[in-house]
Amino acid sequence: MEPRSGRNYARIATVVLLTLGCLYVLKPFLPAILFAAAVVISSWPLYLRLLTAMHGRRTPAALTMTLSLTLLVIIPLAIVAYNLADDVATTFGQMRNALEHGELLPPAWIREIPFLGDTIDAYLRELVASREQMLALAQRMIEPARHWLLAGGLMLGTGVVQMSLAAFVSFFLYRDGKSLIAVIAVAMAKVMGEGAESVSDTVSQTTRGVMYGLLGTALAQGLVAAIGFFIAGVPAVPLLSVLVFVLSLIPVGPPIVWGSAAVWLFSQGETGWGVFMVIWGTVLISGVDNVVRPMLISRGTSLPFLLTLLGVLGGVIAFGFVGMFIGPVLLAVGYSLMSEWTGTRDPIVRANNEQVTE
């Protein structure tokens, strides 16, 4: 028995070392691979319909799905990332020139702020009157803001590269997906036994639900915000729309963007358009989260707000831009598996599943 046990231990050690070696080699590409896997799992039913329509031709169907991802997500992000650095440099150059040579006065609406309006207005007028003090304050505020925005543009550019690689990987996942599913099913059955199929269903349903909820809602809010910004005449519509898309992963994110746009409209004397922006943002942009998200999530998990927030922030730190989607998906899958294992599946999830079954 001892020689056989020794061979088993040697085999396990070899498998572990090979797995660690493969992960180390794939480490630079891991965010793109995980994101591609999440996208492919989420859109797999659509791919199967497309495959049927193309009479089983896998390569054209996979190429069509990959090009759709590129046109809908990657190209718009690439355009915004390409223009962001130039727009930031131009904007801050104009602000610096205005501070150095222009006559600046605080906008009239500041005095209308309850309780603090007169105090803020007096402080700003005193600050403008003192050129050295104003330039010192601008140096402290404008430069860090410029670096922060450029860093955000760099992260966005890195995200474009990661998504491009994810699109490349997704092509092969679509084309060879059925073979991969068969291999994974056999491997999981050998490791987990009878519970492998249940775990596989939970992972696919949870991934699909979270990706539909996060990515679908983000795209819808970004599109609705772009329409509102364009109608109201707000500048930098593509940049603000992408900010809404990104910040929609956090419940308080979109109001920060459209609220800032409304404040800018009020400061320009466009009171009517400012009111329009507030109504548009409150009813439509923020309302999308309450209407579209439940419609998109057919099966998934009601991930608690704290885990969603930690998933977004931790995902960005760990994986970069695409981590905004990878983080919540990983936490949601872990949360669902733990809930199922402990027999405490969330009642909202059960209700969603019952509605889908019906």
Side-chain angles (χ1 to χ4, degrees):
M1 295 294 292
E2 291 183 1
R4 182 175 299 178
S5 299
R7 286 196 297 269
N8 290 336
Y9 289 139
R11 185 179 302 172
I12 294 173
T14 302
V15 171
V16 170
L17 289 175
L18 285 175
T19 303
L20 292 177
C22 292
L23 290 176
Y24 184 78
V25 172
L26 295 175
K27 182 180 178 181
F29 314 106
L30 193 58
I33 294 173
L34 290 175
F35 183 72
V39 170
V40 170
I41 291 173
S42 304
S43 57
W44 189 251
L46 179 61
Y47 168 73
L48 293 179
R49 295 192 188 99
L50 184 62
L51 188 64
T52 302
M54 292 187 171
H55 307 289
R57 292 181 293 177
R58 295 179 300 159
T59 299
L63 184 61
T64 301
M65 295 294 294
T66 303
L67 292 178
S68 300
L69 174 64
T70 303
L71 291 175
L72 290 176
V73 179
I74 298 175
I75 290 180
L77 284 178
I79 294 174
V80 172
Y82 179 79
N83 293 324
L84 181 59
D86 184 60
D87 291 341
V88 169
T90 302
T91 301
F92 281 96
Q94 293 173 351
M95 292 176 63
R96 180 176 296 172
N97 183 66
L99 286 171
E100 293 177 351
H101 305 289
E103 182 180 355
L104 299 178
L105 290 175
W109 60 268
I110 289 182
R111 300 189 64 180
E112 300 177 2
I113 299 176
F115 304 110
L116 299 176
D118 292 335
T119 303
I120 297 174
D121 182 77
Y123 172 74
L124 292 177
R125 289 178 182 273
E126 180 182 354
L127 185 64
V128 170
S130 175
R131 187 71 61 183
E132 289 98 9
Q133 186 179 1
M134 182 179 64
L135 291 176
L137 178 63
Q139 187 69 24
R140 291 197 303 269
M141 296 182 64
I142 292 180
E143 289 300 321
R146 183 175 67 87
H147 289 301
W148 183 82
L149 287 174
L150 288 176
L154 181 61
M155 186 185 75
L156 190 61
T158 304
V160 172
V161 175
Q162 290 178 329
M163 285 192 170
S164 300
L165 181 58
F168 177 75
V169 173
S170 67
F171 169 79
F172 295 96
L173 293 181
Y174 283 124
R175 193 191 66 178
D176 306 322
K178 291 187 176 181
S179 301
L180 290 174
I181 290 173
V183 172
I184 292 173
V186 172
M188 291 182 63
K190 289 186 175 181
V191 174
M192 300 181 182
E194 296 180 355
E197 185 175 355
S198 176
V199 171
S200 178
D201 291 340
T202 300
V203 170
S204 61
Q205 291 174 9
T206 303
T207 301
R208 193 170 296 135
V210 174
M211 286 295 290
Y212 285 172
L214 292 179
L215 188 58
T217 304
L219 287 173
Q221 284 189 308
L223 179 61
V224 172
I227 295 173
F229 294 148
F230 179 78
I231 294 175
V234 178
V237 173
L239 176 60
L240 294 178
S241 302
V242 170
L243 286 177
V244 172
F245 170 82
V246 172
L247 295 178
S248 66
L249 302 178
I250 304 173
V252 297
I256 295 176
V257 182
W258 62 256
S260 300
V263 169
W264 181 85
L265 289 169
F266 283 122
S267 69
Q268 299 297 312
E270 302 287 347
T271 305
W273 286 117
V275 173
F276 165 82
M277 195 72 251
V278 171
I279 297 175
W280 186 277
T282 303
V283 177
L284 294 179
I285 300 178
S286 295
V288 165
D289 187 66
N290 299 322
V291 176
V292 176
R293 191 185 300 267
M295 293 173 59
L296 291 175
I297 300 179
S298 59
R299 291 185 179 182
T301 178
S302 57
L303 192 64
F305 168 73
L306 178 61
L307 289 183
T308 302
L309 180 61
L310 292 178
V312 171
L313 298 178
V316 170
I317 295 173
F319 301 111
F321 180 79
V322 296
M324 290 187 297
F325 304 100
I326 298 174
V329 168
L330 291 177
L331 290 184
V333 170
Y335 179 77
S336 294
L337 292 176
M338 181 63 69
S339 299
E340 184 173 303
W341 181 57
T342 57
T344 57
R345 288 282 285 180
D346 193 281
I348 298 179
V349 176
R350 289 199 302 268
N352 288 338
N353 291 338
E354 290 173 0
Q355 290 177 358
V356 172
T357 303
E358 294 173 0

